[in-house]
Amino acid sequence: MRVSFWAILAATAGLLMALVAMRPLLPIDETRYLSVAWEMWQSHDPLHLTKNGELYTHKTPLLFAMINLVWFVTGVSEFTARLVGPACAVAMVAGTGMLARRLWPQDTALPSRAMLALISFPVFLTYGSSTMFDALLGLCVLAGAAAIWRIGQGDHTARAWGGLGLALAFGIYAKGPVIFVHLMPLLLGMRLWAEHPPQLRAAAKGFGLALLVTLALVALWLVPTLATAPPAFIKELLWTQSAARVAGGMAHDRPLWFLIALLPLILFPWGWSWALWRAIGQAWRAEPALRFCALWAVSALLLFSMISGKQVHYLIPAFPAVALMVGFASAKALRGWGGVGLAIAAVLAIGLGQGLIAMPAHMDPIAPLWPLTGFGVVLLALALLSRLLPQNLGRVAMGAGFALGLHAVIVLTSLYPSYDGQALANRLAQLAPNGLAVSNVEYHAEVNFLGRLTNPVALTPDLDSLWLWALAHPQGTVFGRVNENPLTAAPQEVFHFMGQDWGLWPAAAISRE
């Protein structure tokens, strides 16, 4: 089955825009990243990122610069900013189809199968519609993988190695040196898949050229940034943000088995087809492109499993490799157990919707419950529909339907207002001229962009610092989570955000209690 390249891209764009529209700007990641972009817009400084007025070293600048470029055309807008990430995801789908043509030029229908496979993964759709870095990094990984394939097929020219260096450089601009985790296994394991790998000396020279290109391009940002930054910023940027994530002790520390245990969810619905994996295994020896994609995907899974700090979305740049393998194997009608997975999810959703299964204790109560029941019914219908549609379209219906149904639960229940910070941000924007302070230990600029705040929020993690700030700003306002607050007085106003009550206290009413 062949579907038009442009039709798939149009469907992907429409699907991702629908997902964006069905959920608020999610804390803490999306709210934080748009706040960093907002501060770049105010400062006109693309070199020194800031979050709530303090230097921000956790990420490199490309995504924030792209958002600012969009704002230069449209004006500051949450909606247009939130289209940057999905645009990168659409480009990833296009890049997957283009790479499929290189890997299997004899199979003209394979690109559309691979593209449809990619947009049938709910995990890819969910994170691809987010304002995050992984789809942007995925584009760079795709470009680097294409360059490495070209080299492995006998193109050992400076142009091919320079293309790899270009991909590495933009990958660093996108999310830092993590791009090496995705691409180095393909280079080091070239003997496993390449038909015409370069000799060791030629490979060393070529990779040296690629690194020179990478360093030269990254230096355009890094050198002036470091030359004008304090020592603490330099250490954090060059060392802590990479080494600590590997060694542990930062956010997202997970056990070794975390990603492997989630594979049934990550690879749904295609991963539930034993016939698919059998077809891939049978063609393993005869298909170097298949070995190339397998090395790309499996190495990412294993390496990120060994890294202490890990999240599911770190694997998004490896999804094209899985989609390409699926595109190859799904030339035959491969039935699987994806419908069983939908049925299991349907039973859970209906059980929650009917009150037969208790909500987790740490979650806010969800109301009303009928959307959960409806979600379960939709999943059962999708399981049946997928049996009637052609192979790839049936899987797209499963994956896209699951993602849309889950987002429908968000928009139709209390989940949407519970995680929408706009009401709180609007109120704080009214009070901002007299000064704002937050009395929480950690604040990730969750409302700075939403409220279009032009001055940083003061951080007052303990009662003494809060009291001193209140003395200096008697007309100001303090806000923070009610249950995690040193203040014993009742807040003047309360807003529900991030699943918790946030209170507002006038500074004049604060004393050293």
Side-chain angles (χ1 to χ4, degrees):
M1 179 196 66
R2 184 184 304 176
V3 182
S4 165
F5 178 88
W6 296 108
I8 296 174
L9 294 186
T12 303
L15 181 57
L16 293 175
M17 289 179 67
L19 297 182
V20 169
M22 294 169 75
R23 66 170 186 260
L25 194 65
L26 291 178
I28 58 176
D29 286 334
E30 290 189 300
T31 52
R32 170 174 52 193
Y33 299 147
L34 280 194
S35 289
V36 174
W38 166 239
E39 293 187 30
M40 178 186 284
W41 175 262
Q42 294 179 87
S43 68
H44 308 292
D45 183 357
L47 299 179
H48 306 96
L49 304 178
T50 60
K51 183 191 75 175
N52 195 41
E54 298 182 344
L55 289 171
Y56 181 67
T57 62
H58 290 207
K59 295 294 184 287
T60 41
L62 184 56
L63 178 66
F64 309 116
M66 291 171 67
I67 292 172
N68 273 257
L69 184 61
V70 169
W71 283 344
F72 182 78
V73 177
T74 68
V76 176
S77 161
E78 177 184 327
F79 177 72
T80 57
R82 293 182 69 185
L83 294 183
V84 173
C88 294
V90 173
M92 276 187 73
V93 175
T96 299
M98 295 167 66
L99 183 55
R101 292 174 186 167
R102 287 195 180 189
L103 300 183
W104 289 281
Q106 73 282 1
D107 189 344
T108 56
L110 197 149
S112 65
R113 295 199 304 269
M115 294 166 71
L116 287 172
L118 185 56
I119 64 172
S120 67
F121 290 112
V123 170
F124 173 78
L125 293 174
T126 300
Y127 287 112
S129 62
S130 302
T131 302
M132 299 180 75
F133 303 86
D134 304 283
L136 178 57
L137 176 63
L139 271 179
C140 303
V141 171
L142 268 167
I148 293 171
W149 174 259
R150 181 177 171 184
I151 293 166
Q153 295 306 106
D155 185 353
H156 305 156
T157 62
R159 181 177 179 181
W161 285 105
L164 174 60
L166 192 65
L168 290 170
F170 276 92
I172 292 173
Y173 276 116
K175 204 182 177 183
V178 68
I179 189 170
F180 286 94
V181 176
H182 290 281
L183 292 181
M184 287 306 294
L186 290 176
L187 270 177
L188 297 175
M190 194 175 285
R191 299 284 173 180
L192 298 177
W193 58 264
E195 294 184 352
H196 304 287
Q199 296 298 318
L200 183 59
R201 178 170 297 190
K205 289 176 62 177
F207 186 62
L209 173 63
L211 281 181
L212 283 176
V213 172
T214 301
L215 293 174
L217 291 174
V218 172
L220 296 176
W221 161 71
L222 192 60
V223 170
T225 298
L226 298 183
T228 53
F233 177 89
I234 296 172
K235 179 183 178 182
E236 182 83 9
L237 179 65
L238 295 183
W239 178 252
T240 306
Q241 284 303 315
S242 295
R245 289 184 187 277
V246 174
M250 295 188 68
H252 315 313
D253 281 1
R254 313 281 189 188
L256 181 69
W257 47 262
F258 175 75
L259 294 175
I260 296 171
L262 289 178
L263 280 180
L265 173 63
I266 294 170
L267 296 179
F268 177 83
W270 286 101
W272 290 61
S273 173
W274 176 249
L276 172 78
W277 302 117
R278 185 170 61 247
I280 291 173
Q282 290 172 347
W284 179 268
R285 292 183 179 276
E287 292 288 340
L290 207 56
R291 299 195 297 273
F292 174 84
C293 294
L295 179 60
W296 176 0
V298 173
S299 63
L301 174 65
L302 295 180
L303 289 174
F304 280 109
S305 293
M306 290 187 287
I307 292 172
S308 179
K310 58 180 75 71
Q311 292 277 63
V312 169
H313 57 83
Y314 293 177
L315 296 178
I316 292 299
F319 267 77
V322 180
L324 288 163
M325 290 192 289
V326 169
F328 170 84
S330 61
K332 302 176 181 179
L334 300 174
R335 294 298 176 185
W337 296 91
V340 175
L342 284 180
I344 293 172
V347 169
L348 292 175
I350 293 173
L352 290 169
Q354 296 300 308
L356 302 175
I357 301 176
M359 292 285 180
H362 65 277
M363 284 184 60
D364 265 7
I366 297 177
L369 289 176
W370 68 260
L372 283 167
T373 302
F375 179 42
V377 173
V378 167
L379 293 181
L380 290 175
L382 285 171
L384 295 174
L385 179 64
S386 66
R387 307 293 295 183
L388 304 176
L389 292 173
Q391 174 73 1
N392 289 61
L393 291 182
R395 299 304 172 109
V396 173
M398 281 190 192
F402 185 92
L404 285 169
L406 188 62
H407 280 69
V409 171
I410 294 173
V411 78
L412 293 173
T413 67
S414 54
L415 286 172
Y416 192 105
S418 181
Y419 286 87
D420 184 7
Q422 195 61 63
L424 172 62
N426 290 343
R427 181 61 177 137
L428 292 175
Q430 297 172 349
L431 301 169
N434 294 321
L436 296 173
V438 62
S439 60
N440 295 96
V441 174
E442 285 195 46
Y443 175 64
H444 296 282
E446 285 93 339
V447 297
N448 286 35
F449 169 75
L450 289 172
R452 305 298 192 272
L453 304 183
T454 56
N455 291 311
V457 173
L459 305 181
T460 56
D462 54 56
L463 192 56
D464 286 339
S465 61
L466 179 58
W467 181 70
L468 291 173
W469 183 89
L471 286 178
H473 303 83
Q475 302 302 315
T477 300
V478 175
F479 69 100
R481 299 180 182 91
V482 174
N483 292 335
E484 303 173 11
N485 209 285
L487 297 173
T488 57
Q492 191 174 67
E493 298 178 71
V494 176
F495 295 83
H496 199 68
F497 176 45
M498 296 174 63
Q500 298 185 57
D501 287 334
W502 289 59
L504 275 63
W505 294 264
I510 293 173
S511 61
R512 201 174 231 169
E513 302 173 32

